[in-house]
Amino acid sequence: MSSAHPQGTPGPPTTIVLFGATGDLARRKLLPGMLHLLRSGLLPRVQIVGTSLEEHTRDSFVEFAHRAIREFSPDTTEAEWKDFAQRLFWAPGGTAESLRAAVEEAEGECEGPQRRLHYLSVPPRAALAVIHTLRDADLVEGSRVIMEKPFGTDLESAKQLNAAVHAVFDESQVFRIDHFLGKEAALNILAFRFANGLFEPVWNRNMIDHVQIDVPEKLGLEQRASFYESTGAYRDMVVTHLFQVLAFTAMEAPTALDPQSITEEKFKVFRSMLPIHPEDVVRGQYLGYREEPGVDPESETETFIALRCFVDNWRWAGVPFYLRTGKKLAEGQRIISVAFKEPPKSMFPEGSGIGQHGPDHLTFDLADQARVSLSFYGKRPGPGFRLDKVSMQFSVEDTTWAGSVLEAYERLILEATKGNHTLFTTAEGVERLWEISTPLLEDPPPVRPYEPGTWGPNQIHQLIAPRAWRLPFERKWRERTTRDDA
């Protein structure tokens, strides 16, 4: 690949210190992502120092990385791998002394000063120990730190965590990662809303009936059940992911497309959100969860959550936002669906079909292939006046931009090296979301059982009535091979 890249300017010379460097996330996403940033010219002067609790040497870590690259980035050439391999270093034991020595070794051959980015791919309970190790290794000044979710489990723990982090790092140095916001389609929400005169004038309570943010997952917990038991779907997904997507969907136009302006508008959404009350929530647990290793046989942890929430400001007053996510559901999807209010139907004859297929929808697919669909009524060809739902669909795959797409973690690492907070969460935002969650966390409704492979407990239909859940779609996304005759 050439170094000229439509994603923008390359990141500065950076040493990435990767904690949890031999974990599953590092193997599947982080190491292949860093290689892609290097070979695409977006992070041309990068050094990587790995460390974890596992016993490794520099050579065995390089071999671990090589296996990960072969599996998850198989198009890598031998020359690209050799360039990457010589940038890999290892800090045994993760002590302050070994970290400091490994960073100095990695930067010893660099032409000039390196920025430092510390990526904490570690369990939440280990995060503070890593922060203190960085302090003891004198690796804090001028550096940046990426932290993985969850950011606390309630308001009190979030405040304690933020205070402990701020004792070492300034808030401007902290990047709380949410891989949902690194996805191309999440950024497309901003483009569609604010770059076009077509959508922004109708993006309000006068024209929009409701919004659905739906992230069902087919997968179960795959050895994560003991972690999940103390977390649950609400803490794991809603506070950290779905509310962030809601903010992009609901925010006012920022004064500029810069990190501070966007962060301010996102926080205004959080500040306008009404508290989440138990009567607006359905919790579920898939049958068989209590038999998982590490799970309490009488567990009340939810593996499914659906809720109704409100952004109580001038634009959105009275418009419900429906959020749903869970494990072992019928299919894996990541969609935002904006339902427009239906027009008066009196002019159309009986039997025309108007209103039978629900309201017009603008749908954003947040899956790895970014897609947008606008569905509306059109006349069926032929005699009479019969209406059917039709749709216009846009896919990044259909454009010459497809090769430019960055995987979510790649984009987030690149933005953090540049100090760009647009796609990250602030301490203030995290604490506000836990604050509005307090009524639910203090008095959660009972968990309802559901069969694996369904869409969750039956109570979800009462929650959204008289509306209906957008998933499952009656019409599938059109694939490229069939789109000409679809």
Side-chain angles (χ1 to χ4, degrees):
M1 295 186 190
S2 68
S3 58
H5 206 290
Q7 291 290 341
T9 55
T14 302
T15 300
I16 299 176
V17 182
L18 178 56
F19 294 85
T22 54
D24 188 55
L25 181 63
R27 185 176 71 89
R28 288 184 300 108
K29 298 288 188 182
L30 303 180
L31 290 167
M34 291 171 193
L35 169 61
H36 183 236
L37 290 171
L38 170 67
R39 67 180 188 165
S40 63
L42 286 168
L43 214 52
R45 288 176 287 175
V46 64
Q47 305 286 88
I48 298 157
V49 174
T51 189
S52 76
L53 297 179
E54 293 187 20
E55 290 287 328
H56 272 285
T57 62
R58 182 179 179 186
D59 288 343
S60 65
F61 175 54
V62 169
E63 181 51 38
F64 171 87
H66 199 187
R67 289 196 300 272
I69 298 305
R70 280 201 300 261
E71 184 174 355
F72 296 101
S73 190
D75 62 338
T76 303
T77 67
E78 189 60 27
E80 287 168 340
W81 162 249
K82 283 182 176 174
D83 182 27
F84 187 64
Q86 68 184 13
R87 301 166 184 270
L88 297 174
F89 297 82
W90 184 253
T95 64
E97 295 76 19
S98 70
L99 269 179
R100 183 79 210 179
V103 169
E104 287 175 353
E105 182 188 3
E107 294 178 353
E109 300 166 13
C110 298
E111 295 172 10
Q114 295 273 113
R115 268 268 182 202
R116 289 173 189 153
L117 177 66
H118 309 301
Y119 195 122
L120 276 56
S121 181
V122 298
R125 63 183 178 277
L128 277 183
V130 172
I131 294 283
H132 294 148
T133 302
L134 289 168
R135 177 196 62 199
D136 297 343
D138 196 22
L139 293 173
V140 172
E141 188 178 351
S143 70
R144 294 169 178 141
V145 59
I146 291 180
M147 298 185 68
E148 285 277 354
K149 69 172 178 84
F151 315 115
T153 55
D154 55 22
L155 180 57
E156 191 53 42
S157 61
K159 284 182 172 178
Q160 289 174 359
L161 176 63
N162 285 329
V165 171
H166 290 158
V168 180
F169 286 93
D170 184 77
E171 175 66 15
S172 65
Q173 295 175 274
V174 182
F175 293 77
R176 295 169 190 80
I177 199 164
D178 173 9
H179 69 273
F180 268 51
L181 293 191
K183 293 182 177 297
E184 197 72 42
L187 298 171
N188 243 328
I189 298 167
L190 296 185
F192 266 74
R193 285 192 58 193
F194 301 127
N196 300 297
L198 182 60
F199 295 115
E200 185 55 24
V202 299
W203 212 261
N204 56 57
R205 68 184 188 282
N206 298 322
M207 299 293 180
I208 290 177
D209 179 76
H210 70 279
V211 177
Q212 294 182 32
I213 300 174
D214 213 348
V215 187
E217 297 180 272
K218 283 184 79 167
L219 294 175
L221 289 163
E222 282 73 49
Q223 285 80 55
R224 290 178 66 237
S226 56
F227 154 77
Y228 202 82
E229 179 69 352
S230 61
T231 309
Y234 186 80
R235 289 179 170 94
D236 185 50
M237 288 291 291
V238 176
V239 176
T240 48
H241 293 324
L242 273 64
F243 281 159
Q244 303 298 326
V245 175
L246 184 154
F248 264 175
T249 310
M251 65 191 256
E252 297 297 319
T255 53
L257 201 63
D258 62 59
Q260 185 178 354
S261 302
I262 292 174
T263 299
E264 283 172 359
E265 295 305 334
K266 279 173 58 186
F267 184 64
K268 285 180 189 175
V269 173
F270 298 149
R271 213 167 53 206
S272 302
M273 288 177 70
L274 296 177
I276 310 298
H277 289 290
E279 59 268 25
D280 289 324
V281 176
V282 174
R283 296 166 73 234
Q285 186 186 86
Y286 65 77
L287 293 169
Y289 171 74
R290 293 177 181 179
E291 283 78 59
E292 301 269 9
V295 172
D296 182 340
E298 296 180 4
S299 171
E300 291 292 303
T301 298
E302 79 279 357
T303 62
F304 170 96
I305 190 119
L307 63 140
R308 174 175 52 219
C309 58
F310 294 89
V311 178
D312 193 27
N313 61 16
W314 190 260
R315 181 185 291 267
W316 294 110
V319 176
F321 286 75
Y322 296 100
L323 280 54
R324 175 172 66 167
T325 186
K327 303 290 185 184
K328 291 205 173 180
L329 296 178
E331 59 182 273
Q333 290 274 9
R334 294 170 179 176
I335 70 152
I336 303 165
S337 189
V338 179
F340 295 98
K341 289 187 174 177
E342 297 189 55
K345 309 181 190 75
S346 55
M347 65 174 280
F348 294 99
E350 278 291 321
S352 66
I354 186 75
Q356 289 184 2
H357 302 287
D360 300 343
H361 282 85
L362 179 64
T363 305
F364 296 89
D365 186 348
L366 298 189
D368 290 336
Q369 303 298 339
R371 294 184 285 197
V372 182
S373 167
L374 180 62
S375 71
F376 49 89
Y377 284 99
K379 181 186 175 301
R380 184 187 293 178
F385 211 101
R386 183 76 188 161
L387 299 172
D388 274 334
K389 266 290 172 75
V390 294
S391 68
M392 292 191 296
Q393 298 185 359
F394 158 79
S395 169
V396 164
E397 275 195 322
D398 294 348
T399 73
T400 56
W401 315 337
S404 309
V405 174
L406 285 182
E407 205 276 332
Y409 281 100
E410 295 166 5
R411 183 192 312 281
L412 292 165
I413 290 169
L414 179 63
E415 296 305 325
T417 66
K418 297 177 180 179
N420 182 348
H421 276 90
T422 301
L423 302 176
F424 298 88
T425 313
T426 64
E428 192 178 38
V430 167
E431 290 176 14
R432 171 60 184 162
L433 290 176
W434 286 122
E435 183 184 351
I436 65 169
S437 302
T438 300
L440 170 64
L441 298 178
E442 289 182 344
D443 184 25
V447 289
R448 312 281 185 176
Y450 64 95
E451 289 280 354
T454 64
W455 288 101
N458 286 333
Q459 286 79 4
I460 62 172
H461 302 298
Q462 287 98 294
L463 179 71
I464 202 170
R467 306 169 179 94
W469 290 100
R470 184 84 165 118
L471 285 176
F473 284 134
E474 291 179 10
R475 289 169 311 286
K476 296 295 181 189
W477 289 103
R478 288 199 290 273
E479 302 303 326
R480 289 188 74 177
T481 53
T482 60
R483 69 167 189 262
D484 292 334
D485 42 62

